[in-house]
Amino acid sequence: MNKVGIIAGREYFSRVKKPQFLLITLGAPILFGLFFVVVAFIFSMTGTEQKKILISDPSNILNERFEAGSNLTAEFRTGTRSQLVEWKQAEGFDGILIVPQVDSPSVSSVNLRYLSDQRLNIDMDQSISSYFNRRMREWKITRLGVDEELLASLNTRVRISSSTDLAATDLDDDEVGEGSSIAPYVAGGIGLVIAMLIYFMVFINGTMIMRSVMEEKVNRIVEIMISTVRPFDLMMGKLLGVGAVGVTQILIWMIFMPAIYFAVIAIFGSSMNMEAAAGMGGEAPEVDSSVIAGIVKELASYNWLLISISFIFYYVGGFFLYSSLFGALGAMMGDDLGENNSLSLVVTIPIILAIYIGIVAVQSPNSSLVVWSSMFPLFSPIVMPCRLAFDPPLWQVFVSFALLIAFTLFVVWFAGKIYRVGILMYGKKADVKELIKWLRTK
Amino acid sequence: MAETALRVEEVTKQYQGHLAVDNISFEVESGILFGMLGPNGAGKTSTIRMITGITLPDKGKIFLNGKRVDGSLTSGIGYLPEERGLYRKMTVGDHLMYLIRLRGFSSKEGRKKVDEWVDRFEIGSWWNKKIEELSKGMQQKIQFIAAVMHDPDLMILDEPFSGLDPVNSNLIREEIRRLSNEGKGVILSTHRMEQVEELCEKIVLINRGRIVLHGNLESIKESYWENRYSVGLGEGQGLPVMEGVEPVAVHKNNRIELQLHEGMGSRDLLRGLLDHELDIQLFQKSLPSLNDIFIKVTGEDLVQAE
């Protein structure tokens, strides 16, 4: 046991003592944050290009009013096509929008023409066509003499309030409905963040172990090690040492993340966050205080104890499960890089599959694929955290726990055996006979 | 009576249809420098791996200080592998301390042991250098220390002189002798015959997985002696034609190798030489070199094969 500690200590300190360690640990979230800021910035950049266009609207559908976007200004003129082109060139318009003559409100399609030196970009295409669609509708309503209020009453807003609390009686409570409509998003967000964290930690630390095992094998230090320590102890030492590095990183993040967050807010102002959220979201939700209040309320309603315990449990379980597999893989590797890469696919594919299932789990946490995956040990460390915020049945969580523990123990044992054989094989693949012989030894 | 440090009993090891070690048996006694010889690929390293418990024999048993090696225990052997078995990114000091602590020494005791060797090899100034910054010869010295610093009862040194300059070669050679004289079991494994001839008292010679020769080096040489003598004559003197005496080779300083025909002995040769009134400066029995014996036994030439 003592030897495991010495090995774990070396693995741990040789990594943590490196000057790069703190740099990478602290730098990663900063880079990550910077990435989002840059993305938000890029998104906000696209809209700032000011365009001035000339519109020919003979039927006066737009009524000399054009508000398709803050970066688009328009001027209405009537003339022949060649006149319009002349004006465009002379007065420096960016383009000409020609609305065709429309006589009857019963037309089902209208073809606008846009003449310019540059092709219409997607952004402008969408804003102009959706704006025109709206104005066309207004125009038709007036022409047809339809009552606008009557029309509006045809629309019904539908919202689903989801709750697992079957005993709740206040189903008609409007406030509950309001809060819960964002629940799936908040729950999904929590799930994905945790799953992503586990995914990255398991992946990065796993490959780290794989590389370190492979290096020991290739430079043959392992021959000295094996005459001193048991292979299983060597592997365990590595797992514990590198696992501790991961935990250290999480702790550092937990301490520094809020600090960085506040620093960013202080420097850029909170508006940056809004912009970032709007930019990332695609269809920008109107972020108002009631939504934030809703999220906060939603967050408070979760079983955080269960979520935290599960997070630690699934991290540890997933880490040991995958790292021991990565370790065994490292032991089977030689110095042939191509072969190593294809070998490592054996373990990386399940992890990548798991994260995809995790994304599906956030969308439909109770589909049978997701339910079974959240109990299947190779996927559960990533898929179950995605489901946790959706209050899955407790028995499923416990089955998932139990299966993960049992399977991890088995995999660590099995990987230890493969490791034992693989790490001492040079130039030749571990053959089945040899493997069986080692599986039999104590 | 020397203690048996290692006993190898009828050990066989097969790798995917290739018989690497074929029914090998030998013993290594404490305090007697033991040479394991053979060309590259003869099965030396395969044998060593089984002794250190890295692999298991397919058949046969290995006993270390009377205890069977079965893969469940770490052997505690001092092993110097042929390749550099070092953590390249570690400093010399960290590396040695790490290994000695893994061998069950406390930091304090371990440091004492390590310091002893660091002082003996005068490498104190290298303590904080990374292994990868060292020359090959330096690395070999560190590896040697790593193999012997914890006072193992049996040390296996696989090509310990590779990459060393003559000065460091001598240093290591003296240390090997000293360790052996202190009563440790030492196996020197090499394909270099002259190193074994110079250092070892007992040998096992392996070729193609089988033992070709085994036993006391001197008695092996005696048993393969073919009635040859080496004679040194005064400057400018030539060897006259003599009945039953055939010159085989002439070396520097006018030293001549002579093959005597059957029935002739040293007295006949000496008498003949004196009869010709030659100035005899050297007269000795010429024992065959290990390489000569190897060629004779296997029909293969180890030196030529290099």
Side-chain angles (χ1 to χ4, degrees), chain A residues 288-322:
Chain A
D288 57 43
S289 55
S290 77
V291 172
I292 292 177
I295 292 174
V296 171
K297 197 169 157 230
E298 203 35 59
L299 285 177
S301 74
Y302 288 109
N303 187 350
W304 283 105
L305 184 69
L306 179 70
I307 291 176
S308 315
I309 290 173
S310 311
F311 175 35
I312 293 167
F313 179 83
Y314 283 114
Y315 167 67
V316 172
F319 173 79
F320 274 96
L321 176 62
Y322 274 104

Side-chain angles (χ1 to χ4, degrees), chain A residues 3 6-7 10 216 219-221 223-225 227-230 420 424 426 428 431 437-438 441, chain B residues 13 15-16 49 53-54 56 58 71 74-76 79 83-87 90 98 101-103:
Chain A
K3 287 183 178 178
I6 296 170
I7 293 163
R10 192 195 87 88
E216 282 187 3
N219 77 15
R220 314 255 169 138
I221 177 81
E223 303 215 347
I224 294 181
M225 298 302 291
S227 60
T228 308
V229 293
R230 256 172 263 165
R420 176 71 163 104
L424 300 164
Y426 296 105
K428 36 197 160 317
D431 68 26
K437 194 194 304 172
W438 280 113
T441 56
Chain B
K13 179 77 185 174
Y15 287 116
Q16 291 174 331
R49 288 223 176 108
I54 290 172
L56 287 181
D58 294 338
T74 56
S75 57
Y79 177 34
E83 295 88 2
R84 302 284 178 278
L86 298 164
Y87 286 106
M90 277 180 114
Y98 176 54
R101 284 187 58 216
L102 277 181
R103 281 151 184 169

Side-chain angles (χ1 to χ4, degrees), chain A residues 331-345:
Chain A
M332 287 161 77
M333 288 178 167
D335 31 23
D336 179 350
L337 264 171
E339 197 175 287
N340 294 352
N341 283 341
S342 45
L343 248 182
S344 65
L345 276 186

Side-chain angles (χ1 to χ4, degrees), chain B residues 252-270:
Chain B
K252 62 183 177 196
N253 298 331
N254 213 11
R255 192 166 64 79
I256 304 164
E257 290 273 326
L258 298 171
Q259 175 72 57
L260 304 194
H261 286 186
E262 234 183 279
M264 292 233 349
S266 57
R267 280 191 212 141
D268 304 319
L269 175 61
L270 200 51

